[in-house]
Amino acid sequence: HRRPSKQTFARGASSSSSTDVLVKRPTPLWTLKATQLLIFAANVCLLRYITVYYDQLGLTRQQMGLLLVIMPLVSFFGQLFWSAVVDRSGDYKRTLIGTSLAGIVVVFSYLLPCVKGSLGVLMVVTLLHGFFASPSGPIVDALCLKVLAEEGVTKEAYGDQRLWSAVGWGGMALVAGQLIDIFGSSAM
């Protein structure tokens, strides 16, 4: 059974009526599940194994500790900032897509020689990573709650949606760990 496009036009009651009404199709719940799974699977690849990367760069324990404290600290303030942006704009999806794309660029910058060779540049990249990666979980959670409330879904509660983030995190942690064991930290 094929669903119509995201937004469709519904004709007026009479065939001679020329009034068209824009009808918004509900967000399919599988897209929320897939988003939860993919975001948390992507995050685990780096976040669980970043210490291995820092170790391979030859950082001291104190330097690693500093970098590992920076990310959650910046993430806290990043979540406050991005929550305010979403509250003001009301645009969950655009904010999520924008911060995710910026986060991807920042994550790939970990591979640059200038980042690997300078603690200061590595700190800046870590700050940016924490800032742009921070809103993904909370925005997806808020979007999920919003969609469930709008749809009045009783069969699939929030926990059923949120389960997929745990599946993504746990499943990819196993896969990423095996890949790192086989190929080294370049597999991250």
Side-chain angles (χ1 to χ4, degrees):
H1 172 257
R2 189 178 162 181
R3 288 188 157 179
S5 64
K6 182 103 175 156
Q7 294 183 340
T8 58
F9 286 99
R11 291 265 176 208
S14 68
S15 61
S16 63
S17 172
S18 64
T19 59
D20 289 337
V21 179
L22 187 60
V23 179
K24 185 179 177 198
R25 189 186 67 146
T27 302
L29 295 179
W30 72 265
T31 60
L32 294 173
K33 291 174 179 149
T35 304
Q36 293 269 10
L37 182 125
L38 293 173
I39 283 177
F40 283 86
N43 283 337
V44 77
C45 291
L46 186 61
L47 295 178
R48 291 306 316 145
Y49 301 102
I50 192 80
T51 309
V52 175
Y53 172 77
Y54 291 156
D55 185 56
Q56 288 192 345
L57 291 180
L59 299 179
T60 67
R61 286 184 178 174
Q62 291 79 16
Q63 291 169 330
M64 283 191 250
L66 178 63
L67 291 169
L68 292 171
V69 165
I70 287 174
M71 189 168 310
L73 191 63
V74 171
S75 292
F76 173 76
F77 290 107
Q79 286 177 12
L80 293 175
F81 175 81
W82 292 113
S83 295
V85 168
V86 169
D87 287 345
R88 182 165 284 217
S89 70
D91 197 346
Y92 294 85
K93 291 178 186 177
R94 189 169 289 157
T95 305
L96 180 63
I97 291 168
T99 57
S100 294
L101 290 174
I104 289 168
V105 169
V106 171
V107 165
F108 277 113
S109 69
Y110 279 111
L111 301 173
L112 298 173
C114 64
V115 174
K116 292 179 177 184
S118 169
L119 182 61
V121 176
L122 185 59
M123 288 176 81
V124 170
V125 169
T126 302
L127 286 165
L128 291 171
H129 180 205
F131 184 72
F132 287 115
S134 66
S136 60
I139 288 176
V140 171
D141 286 343
L143 183 60
C144 182
L145 290 169
K146 179 183 176 213
V147 168
L148 290 174
E150 286 174 354
E151 300 304 318
V153 175
T154 57
K155 288 184 198 174
E156 298 205 37
Y158 172 73
D160 294 336
Q161 301 298 318
R162 191 67 164 93
L163 167 72
W164 292 96
S165 62
V167 170
W169 182 274
M172 195 56 165
L174 293 172
V175 171
Q178 288 298 315
L179 289 173
I180 290 169
D181 283 347
I182 295 168
F183 299 108
S185 65
S186 62
M188 288 194 306

